[in-house]
Amino acid sequence: MNRILIGIGFLLGFYSAGSQEKPVLNYSEGDLCTQVVVYPLDSLKTTFFYDGPHVYWQPGKKHAKVKYYSFSPIKKRSKKHVYKWEVKPTDTVLYFEGKEHDKNKYSFLASFQNTPSEYTGVGKILVIGDVHGEYDRLVNILRIAGVVDSLHNWIFGKGHVVFTGDIVDRGEQVTESLWFIYNLTQNANLSGGKVHFLLGNHEIMLFEKDVRYLNVKYSYLASKYNFSYRSQFSNKTVLGRWMRSLNSVITINDILFVHAGISAEVAKYNVSIDSINWMVRKYLNRPNFAVLKGVENLTLGVFGPLWYRGYLVKMPFYAHITEEEVDLVLEKYGVNQIVFGHTGLKDVTPIFNNKLINIDVPFKEHCIPLQVLLIEDKKYTVVFEDGSRKNLFQNSCQ
Ligand code: ZN
């Protein structure tokens, strides 16, 4: 049943299909670009592309393996490149210089610790909505927002950067986006800052082998070399183990960050943030929706933090949340505000007297100026990709 609801939720989502329902909010129809960027299979014949690195290395193993794929329109063929080397069983960090087209340097951790879900005393926070494999725009806006320099070095000091999930699917630079965030996380740690990549429903779909939104470039490679796309994110890979260690919900100061939202249904269940993170991580290791019961079913289902769509619109399966329910959610989790992504709008949008803020401005919609949100000393600034900035609450009482 839950699966059917999720499917219907997709069909009704603004992002790709356009809403069948009248939005409750004060934004006009057509605010979002409706064009869907199509990457036709035919274009593979004229476009050079590559994918990688995909690093296979497990703690204690004697060998590491790195795979790249490339496609040349001149030679009209694709190639798989595999590099192997010996590793000492005691190594906990592995260094690797990119091969082929890849000029990056990487350091891989053998294992990942779960990170805390609560942070206090943070001076500045930058929040980014659904990236969906749009690596170039991601790097550009982080540079403009003062998070990285032109060489991708972390220059955000002790600040925190929050990705509210859905890094994967749709776009053609998913691997690049993941490695960039992975490296940024390590660089931030060295400077006393933090990067939080919160899981979104598309990360869950990746682990569930749901490839409906996979870019055709990745489908082509998986088919050509006869592997499951998901296998590149198995427990045997660095990216796979890292993603399995991530949180889904965190609080920083008095703000809760989540991909889709905390519904009143979840709040009434008294599910703690740590429990949500634990249940999602457990599910990622053995995704099988059929076996979920009770609170796990609620957490991973359509009313859960990764899928919920009741904050913005009234839909057949989502009654539009009331302000009283929003207050209940805030009180239950001891926060004053929730910042979320998942449902694309043309602007960073505060609702319910600024108690909720949607920050998902679709990366792939090039007709919409890309925006991220900078929260600094109670000041909320929207940073645009052209370098301009505006106070988020300039037209309302904060
Ligand atoms: Zn989403």
Side-chain angles (χ1 to χ4, degrees):
M1 181 62 177
N2 250 326
R3 265 310 187 232
I4 295 168
L5 293 184
I6 288 170
I8 293 169
F10 266 119
L11 291 175
L12 294 177
F14 289 163
Y15 187 100
S16 56
S19 174
Q20 304 299 308
E21 294 285 311
K22 287 277 182 195
V24 175
L25 286 173
N26 184 26
Y27 52 84
S28 60
E29 288 185 21
D31 273 354
L32 272 184
C33 306
T34 50
Q35 97 261 13
V36 175
V37 175
V38 178
Y39 192 80
L41 201 55
D42 281 353
S43 69
L44 292 176
K45 293 171 188 161
T46 56
T47 312
F48 175 82
F49 67 79
Y50 57 83
D51 185 33
H54 291 285
V55 183
Y56 295 76
W57 181 43
Q58 289 172 281
K61 293 284 180 187
K62 289 183 181 169
H63 294 93
K65 190 162 60 178
V66 175
K67 293 182 186 175
Y68 286 95
Y69 301 90
S70 62
F71 178 87
S72 165
I74 300 163
K75 295 177 183 169
K76 296 201 183 325
R77 65 188 166 107
S78 54
K79 262 183 112 175
K80 177 178 169 183
H81 314 260
V82 182
Y83 303 90
K84 287 184 186 175
W85 70 96
E86 275 189 27
V87 181
K88 291 185 197 134
T90 51
D91 283 350
T92 54
V93 182
L94 197 64
Y95 298 95
F96 170 75
E97 290 199 11
K99 307 288 187 193
E100 310 293 327
H101 58 275
D102 183 6
K103 306 298 178 211
N104 295 312
K105 292 180 181 169
Y106 303 87
S107 65
F108 313 131
L109 297 175
S111 59
F112 297 94
Q113 304 289 323
N114 300 339
T115 53
S117 55
E118 186 180 337
Y119 300 84
T120 55
V122 178
K124 56 182 177 181
I125 307 163
L126 190 94
V127 204
I128 302 162
D130 307 19
V131 174
H132 280 308
E134 296 287 336
Y135 167 78
D136 292 335
R137 283 188 108 184
L138 167 63
V139 173
N140 188 44
I141 197 137
L142 285 183
R143 191 179 51 75
I144 285 162
V147 171
V148 297
D149 64 16
S150 58
L151 298 174
H152 301 181
N153 296 309
W154 176 267
I155 55 170
F156 204 51
K158 296 188 185 331
H160 286 214
V161 171
V162 182
F163 293 90
T164 57
D166 281 6
I167 304 300
V168 306
D169 273 346
R170 302 188 193 277
E172 60 186 79
Q173 289 181 294
V174 168
T175 313
E176 291 89 333
S177 302
L178 290 171
W179 278 117
F180 176 78
I181 297 171
Y182 177 93
N183 289 328
L184 193 67
T185 305
Q186 295 183 66
N187 292 339
N189 287 340
L190 294 174
S191 303
K194 284 270 179 286
V195 172
H196 309 278
F197 168 11
L198 305 179
L199 295 166
N201 58 304
H202 280 265
E203 278 74 46
I204 302 299
M205 290 162 69
L206 165 64
F207 287 101
E208 290 174 332
K209 300 186 196 169
D210 184 339
V211 292
R212 281 176 295 165
Y213 298 87
L214 192 61
N215 189 281
V216 68
K217 161 185 161 181
Y218 299 113
S219 308
Y220 168 82
L221 290 173
S223 162
K224 170 85 182 170
Y225 292 100
N226 195 26
F227 63 85
S228 150
Y229 182 69
R230 177 177 178 261
S231 69
Q232 296 182 316
F233 304 94
S234 75
N235 258 325
K236 294 176 182 168
T237 68
V238 172
L239 286 178
R241 281 201 305 283
W242 172 53
M243 289 170 76
R244 282 173 174 79
S245 75
L246 299 173
N247 284 322
S248 304
V249 187
I250 58 167
T251 62
I252 303 177
N253 302 337
D254 61 348
I255 309 169
L256 185 148
F257 297 87
V258 60
H259 178 61
I262 304 284
S263 64
E265 288 77 5
V266 166
K268 283 173 196 159
Y269 239 96
N270 286 321
V271 194
S272 73
I273 289 176
D274 280 337
S275 295
I276 291 171
N277 289 328
W278 182 83
M279 282 186 276
V280 175
R281 277 197 287 265
K282 181 182 158 206
Y283 179 71
L284 288 188
N285 281 290
R286 302 193 70 169
N288 180 357
F289 213 84
V291 303
L292 294 177
K293 301 264 187 307
V295 69
E296 289 189 0
N297 189 42
L298 180 66
T299 302
L300 272 305
V302 289
F303 288 96
L306 301 160
W307 290 94
Y308 182 58
R309 282 196 200 268
Y311 283 170
L312 288 164
V313 290
K314 187 174 183 301
M315 287 181 171
F317 303 106
Y318 295 105
H320 188 221
I321 197 167
T322 65
E323 187 152 0
E324 290 72 33
E325 288 173 321
V326 170
D327 289 339
L328 169 87
V329 173
L330 295 175
E331 190 188 330
K332 281 275 170 144
Y333 290 93
V335 293
N336 291 322
Q337 202 167 50
I338 295 174
V339 179
F340 66 102
H342 188 49
T343 301
L345 299 178
K346 76 177 179 66
D347 284 305
V348 174
T349 306
I351 51 176
F352 289 113
N353 295 310
N354 307 333
K355 293 171 188 173
L356 307 178
I357 300 174
N358 177 295
I359 45 90
D360 182 23
V361 177
F363 273 62
K364 79 179 177 71
E365 306 285 5
H366 286 253
C367 60
I368 299 176
L370 189 58
Q371 301 158 44
V372 293
L373 178 63
L374 178 65
I375 304 170
E376 196 168 13
D377 298 327
K378 295 283 175 192
K379 204 173 142 205
Y380 289 64
T381 306
V382 180
V383 181
F384 293 83
E385 64 184 336
D386 66 358
S388 61
R389 297 182 174 217
K390 77 164 190 188
N391 178 355
L392 178 63
F393 302 126
Q394 62 188 8
N395 297 321
S396 64
C397 302
Q398 190 168 344

